[in-house]
Amino acid sequence: MAQDIALRPVVDPALEDAERALLEKSADGLFPATLPLPEEPGLGGRTKADIWTALGVSAVCALLPVTILWALIGVWPGLAVGLAAQAGLIWVGVRFGFEAFVLTVVGVHLLAWLLIVLLGCGTDERQRVARLRHGRYYLAEDFGDDSLRELLGHSPLRRMERAQAAVTAVLQSRVDRDGLLDDIANDVTLPAQQYEIAQRLAELTRLARRVRTAAGDASGSRVEEVLRTQRQALRLSSSALEERVEALERYAENTRAADAAYREWEAVRELEQLGEDMYELVVNTVRDELAVAEIEGLADRSRFQDLHRMLDEAREAGLLATRFADAPADRRSGDSGRA
């Protein structure tokens, strides 16, 4: 299973967590285990470039501290200290004159340069650990390239990438994070397995390189006979390693399948938990339908009430009209005569 990602440093799991975290961050600044450790530069890893850079930075610190201290010690502390230092320099120039101002700037320049060289340059903690633990971590350079395939029958680098990808897949799986796998065995055993595979592959790479160098351009039956024997030994050991890598890949595939099943189970469980809400929804829907009928009945009754009211008003009007029609004729004529 080819991987498209670059190999990360494979670090001895027996190292302290802090050191292991520094080394696993990236391969920058680390040294291949199969190559000699280069000599550390003099002055604690400080170079001429460091000294000249510190000289320029310290000059700015001395003359215009407000413009640079925020970048060296933090924004707000740097601005506060820079403003105070700038005000102090201006006060010295105003109070004691230009000569005192120049002497102060030169003194601050030298002091700042010394502090930057001593504290800000040289080997940092990660580089110190990289040198101290050289040989207890492996980089891509330790596993050769495809040119060793003829001797080993495979690319050691590709095999290491496959092993690391399988271990990563298990340790980053949902089922492992949620404690559904044996997390103690995974956190301890899998990094140890990965490191042992790295050791074996690095050793195979080293021996294959030596065989290739020793054989060189030589030819002949005796050379071919010895080379064939050594190639068989290398491939025998390589086949045993392939079985370990394939076992890790099977574990990773099973973990991916378990992750998929776990996600499915979570979805089913969530849907089942929604069942009660769905039941309530149906019940409420029935209630809503009954309520609709009741509301329509109320509306009908309301319309009947309006009809009753209008009928009553008509009856009252009719009664008034009837009473007027039934009034005595003489009363009505008398009323007319008076009119």
Side-chain angles (χ1 to χ4, degrees):
M1 184 173 58
Q3 301 298 320
D4 295 329
I5 57 175
L7 182 74
R8 301 186 306 277
V10 183
V11 184
D12 186 353
L15 293 179
E16 295 181 359
D17 292 343
E19 292 183 341
R20 195 167 65 250
L22 283 175
L23 296 174
E24 288 177 345
K25 187 182 303 182
S26 72
D28 296 337
L30 305 186
F31 310 98
T34 52
L35 297 179
L37 185 66
E39 294 185 3
E40 184 177 6
L43 301 176
R46 296 171 181 85
T47 63
K48 292 181 179 180
D50 292 334
I51 294 174
W52 285 109
T53 301
L55 192 63
V57 173
S58 60
V60 178
C61 286
L63 189 60
L64 298 169
V66 71
T67 64
I68 198 169
L69 285 182
W70 64 270
L72 298 177
I73 62 176
V75 176
W76 297 115
L79 286 175
V81 175
L83 286 171
Q86 196 74 64
L89 287 175
I90 295 174
W91 179 80
V92 168
V94 173
R95 180 69 175 80
F96 300 102
F98 181 74
E99 184 177 351
F101 173 79
V102 172
L103 291 176
T104 302
V105 169
V106 171
V108 173
H109 180 197
L110 294 176
L111 178 61
W113 175 75
L114 183 62
L115 291 176
I116 292 173
V117 169
L118 292 178
L119 303 179
C121 300
T123 303
D124 59 15
E125 179 64 15
R126 187 168 185 270
Q127 293 172 332
R128 186 191 68 81
V129 173
R131 288 186 167 275
L132 181 64
R133 303 305 182 190
H134 178 248
R136 299 186 66 178
Y137 57 84
Y138 294 92
L139 309 179
E141 292 87 339
D142 292 310
F143 306 111
D145 51 34
D146 290 344
S147 64
L148 297 178
R149 189 183 296 273
E150 181 183 356
L151 288 172
L152 299 175
H154 68 90
S155 168
L157 178 59
R158 300 294 174 264
R159 184 164 291 179
M160 190 65 242
E161 288 175 346
R162 288 167 51 202
Q164 188 175 78
V167 170
T168 302
V170 174
L171 295 180
Q172 292 183 353
S173 64
R174 285 280 308 280
V175 290
D176 186 66
R177 290 200 306 269
D178 291 350
L180 300 179
L181 300 178
D182 188 354
D183 54 339
I184 297 178
N186 286 334
D187 291 342
V188 175
T189 303
L190 291 183
Q193 288 274 356
Q194 178 181 249
Y195 187 67
E196 289 177 7
I197 291 173
Q199 287 179 307
R200 294 280 303 279
L201 283 173
E203 180 65 13
L204 275 174
T205 301
R206 186 185 68 84
L207 292 175
R209 283 169 170 167
R210 290 190 61 184
V211 169
R212 185 178 60 184
T213 301
D217 297 331
S219 60
S221 58
R222 296 186 60 184
V223 172
E224 288 297 329
E225 181 180 354
V226 174
L227 190 59
R228 182 169 56 253
T229 302
Q230 293 183 348
R231 184 185 296 113
Q232 289 176 352
L234 290 172
R235 293 197 174 190
L236 179 63
S237 180
S238 176
S239 298
L241 272 179
E242 176 64 18
E243 293 179 2
R244 293 182 66 172
V245 174
E246 289 178 350
L248 285 175
E249 289 179 331
R250 286 193 296 271
Y251 187 20
E253 286 298 326
N254 290 336
T255 302
R256 294 188 186 95
D259 255 0
Y262 185 41
R263 288 193 296 269
E264 181 181 2
W265 175 80
E266 284 185 323
V268 171
R269 184 182 62 175
E270 187 173 353
L271 290 173
E272 288 177 346
Q273 289 175 348
L274 288 173
E276 296 181 1
D277 296 336
M278 291 297 178
Y279 175 77
E280 290 294 330
L281 180 63
V282 172
V283 171
N284 291 332
T285 301
V286 175
R287 290 174 180 170
D288 289 340
E289 292 175 353
L290 294 175
V292 168
E294 183 177 0
I295 292 170
E296 289 177 348
L298 291 174
D300 292 340
R301 287 197 293 273
S302 176
R303 288 195 293 271
F304 279 118
Q305 288 174 354
D306 291 339
L307 177 59
H308 291 159
R309 180 177 54 79
M310 287 186 289
L311 289 174
D312 290 339
E313 292 176 352
R315 289 192 188 99
E316 292 177 359
L319 289 173
L320 291 174
T322 302
R323 290 173 184 172
F324 182 78
D326 292 341
D330 55 346
R331 182 180 176 182
R332 284 182 293 167
S333 60
D335 293 340
S336 300
R338 286 193 298 268

